[in-house]
Structure formats: structure tokens, C-alpha cells
Amino acid sequence: MSLSGQYLAATGVGLLLSFVSYLLMTVSQRKLVYNRVASRLKFSERGQRTSSSTTPPRSVSPEKKPPSNIPPSSEYKDIFPPWRRDALASAGASPTSAGKDSLPGPTIESSNPSFRTSLIPFTADYRTCAAPASTYTPMGIALTEIAALGDFPDYAELSGVPLPAPYSDFKIESALPRPYRPFRWAYHQTMSLTKLETDWWLELERDFAKSIKDRKELFATRGKMMLDYLPGSELACKELMEMALQFLCARYPQYFSLSYSNDKGYVFHNGILKNETVIGDMHPLHVLLENVPEDFAVMVRNPEDGYYYLRGGVLCSSLGWSLGSKLGMQLKEIHGPIPDYKEKMEFSMDRYFSKFPTARPIQRGSWGLEVDKPLFMPPGDPHEAYRDYQLPRSELPISRIHLRVDWQTLRRVPLSGAIIFNFKALFTPFEQFR
């Protein structure tokens, strides 16, 4: 055998022995050998060259990026929503205006240390504060300016969100809700926000009268579990009510109108129910209960920490919770039971709330399958048990199954700076799908 043949034979025997030895190694021994070889050849475990000084690192895929849930660079108590003080002068006059010609008053900058110490206290009623000229809302508006605006000011001008176009062809007798279908091919836990279609903030349907009746009966038995309010929410609740009634009058003028007289003040005329509501006779949330068959939650900014808390609302379509079980809670406490909320969404939600402008309301939808059409399902409700087990088909015909869509909107009111959640539960029988 030639010298070259002997060399090849020796090499082959050596490789064979090395392979046999490798097979006889334990997993940890194999790992050690692999790492030593890889480090010399500069290969990664996947067989790709490792990055060097001349090789830019590969980007991380969206699914593998760590969540951006880090503390804010500055405290939320020092962050204020965008102001719209310029709109004060052009907001239309109201019969209840007091000193309208004085608008706007002197301006104060949010960066001014005295502004932070002049904010209206968290639980204070704006109508009874001792120094209204030097007490401000988070929107930089003095309480004297709010008094000068009076009741039912021009919220379209103040907020930057136009009133809806009149829906002159609308007939309540035949009105059906739009087929909300917030489906997506893949599920990702995000806020899923889109721009609000402002003509459809409050949508009526042919069950309007029955819905109002059902909600009033529910309040008669459930009380503060579905409608309640805490001190400090007075201005926000008033704004919400006035904005909702202005919307209804503009969108459905054939059914709703507002009038004013010296003896009664403002009166809301409901042509569907054929009655009227004297605004000054009841709390703003009760005005909504009497006339608007949708849910509202009022989130108020606490000047002590800059976070938002649930301070009032009328809610009867929540699943597994109620207004009574969440009232007074901070945003993160309300969403505490949601899986991965703290890790993936808490920081994003708090940051979004702190900077959310009045002129950019948003909407979102969530969906699921529901047995029957429950209107009110607080913690411990018997209907909640359907989520724990599967009924046999004989007890659960398909006629009882519905697609439930929870349609939600989010907007900031322009004077108090509170954020309003609006909820609507819509049910479609599963049998209607093809």
C-alpha cells in the first residue's frame, strides 16, 4: 500500500473511532464537544455562522420581542392630556352661561409648578370649590370658565369631535343594529383600537323602548350594583350626559330635542318613549338610564398619582363583574383578572390614558359565544357556571347559542378630562350564520 493509501486508511479508522466514541458519550459530554468545535469554527447551534463585528445582528421576530412594559420615564402625575383651551372662546353661548364674554380666562402652563398645586382635588365637587378662579381641571380650564360656559355648551367645538350628520331616513320601528364582526384571522392580545366612526357613537334599534324598560327594572332590583357614582365625578358625569343628549338630538332630530325655559331649565324630549326629562330633577347618570340604552363607565384622573380610577357609571352588560364590584378601582385593578394584562398591557394602557386627546375617540370590539342573551351577569351569577362545563346537546340546542359582540368606544370629555368607556352588547343567533 502506498503512503497516501496508508494515510487515507488511518484517517478513515480515526474518523470511525471518533464517531463510535461520540455515540458512546452521554448527552452532556456530546454538548461539551459540540460547543468546543462550534466555538473554533464560529458556528451557532442551528448551523449558521455567529454574528461578528462585520455581521449585523438579525432582527427579532415580533412574536419574540420582549413586552414594552417598563415604567414611564416620568411620573404620570406630571403628564397631562392635550389641552383645547383655544376652543373656549368659540364654544357657543348657552342660556345658562355666566360671564360668557370673559372666556377664555388667563392661561396657565402645565409646566408651571403652581398649576399642579391648583388642580381640583380628586373627590371635590366642582360646584362648591372655595377658590374657583384659581382651581383647574387637568385640561387647564379654571372652574370659573366652566361656570361661564353654562349647561350644554358646544361640545363639538370644545372636544374637536363634530356632531353626527342627521339620519333623516331612520325609522325606529324597523331599525336593526349594524352587524358588528370584529373577527381576525390570528389572535394577538392587544388593545385592538381603531378610529371611532363618530356618526355611530350611539346607535338606536327597534328594541329601544324594551331595552330602556329592562334596564330600569334591573336598576330597581340591583341598585348600586349597576348605577353609582363617587365624589369628584360630578363634572364628568354632567359632560357625558350633555354630550350624549346633544348627539341624539343631532343624529335623530325626528325623535329627540332639547328645550329651555326659565321655570324648568333644560328639558329633553324623547319622541320614541313619548315623554320628557327635566334635566335638573335628577343626577346625569339617571338621565342616561331613562333615555340611552347603553352602558357608560367614567374614569377620572387622580391628581395625586396621575392614574385613572372608575368613579361612576351605569353598567348592566358586564360579564363576571359589576359596577359595584369595581367602583373606585384603578385601571390596572379593574383589569387584574385578565391573563397577561400586567406583563403585556398595563404600561401601554396607562401611558395611552395619560396622553389620550379629546379629538381622537376610538372604538374596539371583542366577541365570543354565549348561551341565551344575559343582560346582567355579576360575580357568582348562575349563568356564569356555563363557562365551567359543557352542557349535553340535549340540554343546549343550537337555538340557545348566540354570537355576542361587546362593542366599546373610548373618548375623553373636554372639560374635566375624564375618560368615558361606552359599552354595547349585541347578540346574533348562531342559526343565522351560513
Side-chain angles (χ1 to χ4, degrees):
M1 183 181 295
S2 64
L3 183 60
S4 60
Q6 292 177 358
Y7 175 77
L8 291 174
T11 302
V13 172
L15 290 173
L16 179 62
L17 292 175
S18 299
F19 181 69
V20 172
S21 300
Y22 181 78
L23 293 177
L24 294 176
M25 289 180 182
T26 64
V27 175
S28 59
Q29 290 173 329
R30 292 179 188 178
K31 187 73 173 179
L32 179 61
V33 171
Y34 180 87
N35 288 340
R36 288 179 177 177
V37 174
S39 64
R40 289 179 178 274
L41 297 179
K42 295 186 177 180
F43 275 81
S44 68
E45 288 191 30
R46 295 185 179 181
Q48 298 173 314
R49 288 296 299 267
T50 56
S51 299
S52 65
S53 59
T54 58
T55 305
R58 295 180 296 276
S59 62
V60 182
S61 65
E63 302 83 22
K64 296 181 181 179
K65 287 182 179 179
S68 178
N69 196 29
I70 57 177
S73 56
S74 60
E75 294 186 358
Y76 286 117
K77 66 179 181 181
D78 297 326
I79 301 176
F80 297 92
W83 292 358
R84 286 185 55 84
R85 284 189 50 82
D86 292 344
L88 290 174
S90 52
S94 164
T96 57
S97 297
K100 177 73 170 58
D101 295 338
S102 64
L103 290 173
T107 301
I108 187 171
E109 298 296 330
S110 61
S111 58
N112 189 330
S114 64
F115 173 69
R116 289 161 173 76
T117 60
S118 301
L119 288 171
I120 183 171
F122 188 44
T123 60
D125 186 335
Y126 75 104
R127 298 167 295 187
T128 58
C129 284
S134 58
T135 302
Y136 295 85
T137 73
M139 303 300 291
I141 300 175
L143 299 189
T144 49
E145 294 175 313
I146 292 173
L149 286 170
D151 300 325
F152 290 93
D154 186 350
Y155 284 107
E157 183 68 29
L158 292 170
S159 67
V161 179
L163 284 171
Y167 194 173
S168 56
D169 295 333
F170 178 81
K171 303 295 182 185
I172 190 64
E173 299 82 7
S174 57
L176 294 174
R178 292 182 298 161
Y180 295 89
R181 300 291 182 262
F183 302 122
R184 290 164 24 149
W185 291 112
Y187 172 76
H188 301 285
Q189 187 176 17
T190 66
M191 290 185 283
S192 306
L193 307 179
T194 59
K195 183 180 179 181
L196 174 66
E197 300 168 272
T198 54
D199 280 356
W200 299 98
W201 177 41
L202 305 176
E203 182 179 2
L204 306 188
E205 55 185 280
R206 63 188 181 188
D207 292 336
F208 178 90
K210 182 180 183 302
S211 296
I212 293 290
K213 178 177 178 291
D214 291 345
R215 292 163 67 88
K216 291 172 65 175
E217 290 178 350
L218 186 63
F219 174 70
T221 59
R222 298 289 186 163
K224 291 186 176 183
M225 290 185 68
M226 67 157 287
L227 189 156
D228 201 3
Y229 42 88
L230 296 177
S233 65
E234 293 84 3
L235 178 57
C237 290
K238 175 179 181 287
E239 287 179 271
L240 166 61
M241 178 271 294
E242 292 179 344
M243 291 174 70
L245 298 192
Q246 283 185 349
F247 178 94
L248 293 179
C249 292
R251 183 62 167 165
Y252 309 102
Q254 63 272 47
Y255 292 114
F256 305 107
S257 63
L258 270 170
S259 65
Y260 179 82
S261 64
N262 291 330
D263 57 334
K264 289 186 177 181
Y266 277 100
V267 178
F268 180 69
H269 304 273
N270 190 321
I272 299 175
L273 301 179
K274 302 188 184 315
N275 62 18
E276 61 180 37
T277 303
V278 179
I279 302 302
D281 286 353
M282 61 186 71
H283 189 276
L285 294 182
H286 284 278
V287 175
L288 294 176
L289 177 67
E290 295 283 335
N291 294 284
V292 185
E294 298 198 16
D295 289 358
F296 299 94
V298 180
M299 306 291 297
V300 177
R301 183 184 184 274
N302 187 340
E304 298 298 323
D305 56 21
Y307 289 99
Y308 287 77
Y309 293 76
L310 178 59
R311 301 295 291 178
V314 49
L315 290 165
C316 67
S317 61
S318 53
L319 292 175
W321 63 282
S322 67
L323 177 69
S325 67
K326 301 286 188 178
L327 191 64
M329 287 188 179
Q330 190 180 321
L331 185 66
K332 67 179 181 181
E333 296 171 323
I334 294 172
H335 293 91
I338 297 178
D340 297 328
Y341 179 84
K342 179 175 179 58
E343 293 78 10
K344 295 183 179 180
M345 297 178 67
E346 180 182 317
F347 169 62
S348 297
M349 287 285 282
D350 288 334
R351 179 178 57 184
Y352 188 85
F353 268 52
S354 69
K355 301 178 180 180
F356 184 38
T358 61
R360 297 179 185 175
I362 55 90
Q363 62 189 22
R364 68 179 298 272
S366 59
W367 64 273
L369 297 179
E370 185 66 82
V371 178
D372 302 326
K373 298 193 292 184
L375 176 65
F376 184 68
M377 199 174 74
D381 188 274
H383 199 90
E384 196 174 16
Y386 287 131
R387 285 153 175 73
D388 298 330
Y389 62 90
Q390 177 67 54
L391 288 171
R393 186 170 183 178
S394 59
E395 298 180 27
L396 186 61
I398 195 171
S399 60
R400 292 185 62 191
I401 301 176
H402 298 75
L403 171 71
R404 173 179 174 134
V405 174
D406 287 285
W407 193 248
Q408 305 164 13
T409 71
L410 191 70
R411 67 188 306 166
R412 188 187 294 278
V413 289
L415 302 180
S416 66
I419 292 179
I420 307 298
F421 277 102
N422 165 224
F423 307 82
K424 171 187 283 231
L426 297 157
F427 297 89
T428 305
F430 200 73
E431 291 177 314
Q432 293 186 6
F433 290 95
R434 297 290 183 268

